[in-house]
Amino acid sequence: QIMARKLNMLVLAALAFHANHTGANTSADDKDGAHATDIVLPEFTPYAVPEAALWEQFDSGADARWKKSDAVKEGEERSRYDGEWAIEQPSVLAGIAGDKALVVKSPAHHHAISARLESPLDPAKDGLVLQYEVKLQEDLKCGGAYIKLLTAPSSGEFSDQTPYTIMFGPDKCGDGKVHFIFRHRSPVTGKYTEHHLEQPPTPPVDGLTHLYTLIINKDNSFVLSIDGTERRTGSLLVDFTPPVNPPKEIADPDDKKPEDWEDREKIPDPDATKPDDWDEDAPMMIPDEDAVIPDGWLLDEPLLVDDPKAEKPADWDDEEDGDWSAPQ
């Protein structure tokens, strides 16, 4: 099961999960049905963060704030997101009594749920801090636990077709990565483009709770952290594909190869002529007629001699290692 708790978002938020996992909940019961160890957990005490646009602790009023998506598949009547949700305490490695979370309950199903802010926010003007916890309670084969901050105004049922501004969070499918994608509207064409973070970090998948934090500053710099440790920093204008600012030069789409273009890097010189003294039968190299033997040159000496400074190692065993001879 996937669990996300304590959402701290500064723009319109929605959760999108696709869970495909196997495994069963573990228990501390022994074979006689009694608890092997009685552990008294600390009690969860709710607290407020007044300056946050959305601070979610999944208390008694959370059911009214979060709406399960009723979007249907195109051309079909059945729900596109038929996975069930529950607000409950963790069933594996619980750490605090009464600390509830939003949990997906349906293996191999799509899940989508959303919560609306009272008013939209503009990260470009105010900056953004997006922070939430994810816990993979069971063995996850393929799935994502990411958040989409939807583009205002937003209406209708939340789905993968709903326009968003930022997508952030872990995804285990394939090699696994922490998504950070934002949509930007070109001031020239008016079209939106998705920009993906280059070299995203890999998320931990150990069954423990992990805190994912994204900070976007007004100068277009960003910090992506996991459990309070910076894992990726950079600029929205530089570290994404495709880049926000177009390159100064691009290939001419109408350019064509000339008909007389030669693909070879080098070709014979058509104007070159053979020198008058060129000898086709002469060898490529000949002895230097002016060379003389250096003084002290020993014609009969071998090419290699024993190293006079070499010594037989102290741990050398003739019976096991054979007769020792100095290296040459």
Side-chain angles (χ1 to χ4, degrees):
Q1 295 174 342
I2 300 174
M3 178 163 52
R5 57 195 173 103
K6 293 187 182 63
L7 305 178
N8 179 4
M9 295 174 262
L10 301 185
V11 290
L12 184 61
L15 283 170
F17 292 83
H18 174 202
N20 181 4
H21 59 277
T22 59
N25 291 344
T26 58
S27 173
D29 296 345
D30 61 17
K31 62 181 179 181
D32 296 326
H35 286 285
T37 304
D38 292 330
I39 300 177
V40 178
L41 299 177
E43 291 288 336
F44 175 69
T45 302
Y47 59 98
V49 180
E51 64 272 20
L54 176 61
W55 175 251
E56 182 60 83
Q57 299 178 94
F58 298 109
D59 52 20
S60 58
D63 285 328
R65 290 189 291 272
W66 291 90
K67 180 182 181 300
K68 179 179 177 294
S69 174
D70 292 324
V72 297
K73 291 188 176 183
E74 185 176 356
E76 301 181 17
E77 295 184 356
R78 66 188 182 95
S79 174
R80 181 178 182 84
Y81 303 97
D82 54 357
E84 295 298 323
W85 298 85
I87 295 177
E88 60 188 26
Q89 296 186 60
S91 58
V92 179
L93 298 175
I96 302 176
D99 187 13
K100 296 182 178 181
L102 187 63
V103 183
V104 301
K105 304 294 290 185
S106 308
H109 286 260
H110 289 86
H111 296 68
I113 196 167
S114 61
R116 182 176 293 275
L117 300 182
E118 295 182 359
S119 60
L121 298 176
D122 186 356
K125 294 181 180 179
D126 305 318
L128 169 70
V129 176
L130 170 59
Q131 180 170 273
Y132 70 113
E133 292 178 342
V134 174
K135 180 176 182 178
L136 306 178
Q137 293 193 125
E138 296 183 4
D139 181 30
L140 181 65
K141 300 301 182 183
C142 177
Y146 44 81
I147 287 179
K148 284 185 175 181
L149 309 182
L150 305 183
T151 303
S154 179
S155 61
E157 293 293 335
F158 170 53
S159 74
D160 58 346
Q161 301 301 312
T162 304
Y164 69 91
T165 300
I166 292 174
M167 174 174 157
F168 172 66
D171 190 345
K172 186 179 180 293
C173 294
D175 296 333
K177 61 183 174 181
V178 179
H179 286 290
F180 178 15
I181 307 170
F182 70 91
R183 293 172 68 248
H184 174 69
R185 180 178 179 273
S186 170
V188 177
T189 65
K191 296 181 179 180
Y192 281 90
T193 301
E194 288 186 355
H195 302 272
H196 296 244
L197 176 64
E198 297 177 344
Q199 301 177 353
T202 301
V205 285
D206 51 14
L208 303 178
T209 300
H210 294 282
L211 179 65
Y212 292 84
T213 306
L214 174 64
I215 300 175
I216 298 178
N217 301 305
K218 292 185 288 186
D219 62 355
N220 293 319
S221 63
F222 72 88
V223 178
L224 191 162
S225 301
I226 301 177
D227 297 331
T229 300
E230 293 186 2
R231 298 290 300 277
R232 190 75 166 86
T233 62
S235 169
L236 300 180
L237 304 180
V238 177
D239 298 292
F240 288 76
T241 301
V244 173
N245 294 327
K248 294 181 179 181
E249 295 184 357
I250 61 173
D252 183 355
D254 299 324
D255 192 19
K256 296 181 180 179
K257 181 191 293 187
E259 294 181 358
D260 59 349
W261 185 268
E262 176 58 63
D263 289 328
R264 294 176 296 173
E265 293 186 2
K266 294 182 178 182
I267 60 175
D269 184 355
D271 299 325
T273 58
K274 182 187 296 187
D276 294 337
D277 58 350
W278 187 268
D279 186 353
E280 294 286 355
D281 299 326
M284 296 187 64
M285 301 184 70
I286 60 175
D288 183 357
E289 297 179 353
D290 298 327
V292 294
I293 296 178
D295 295 336
W297 186 271
L298 303 176
L299 294 176
D300 298 327
E301 286 296 309
L303 294 177
L304 295 173
V305 296
D306 292 342
D307 183 357
K309 297 181 180 179
E311 296 181 359
K312 183 177 181 178
D315 59 350
W316 186 274
D317 189 326
D318 291 335
E319 293 183 358
E320 294 183 1
D321 302 326
D323 295 333
W324 179 84
S325 58
Q328 293 187 324

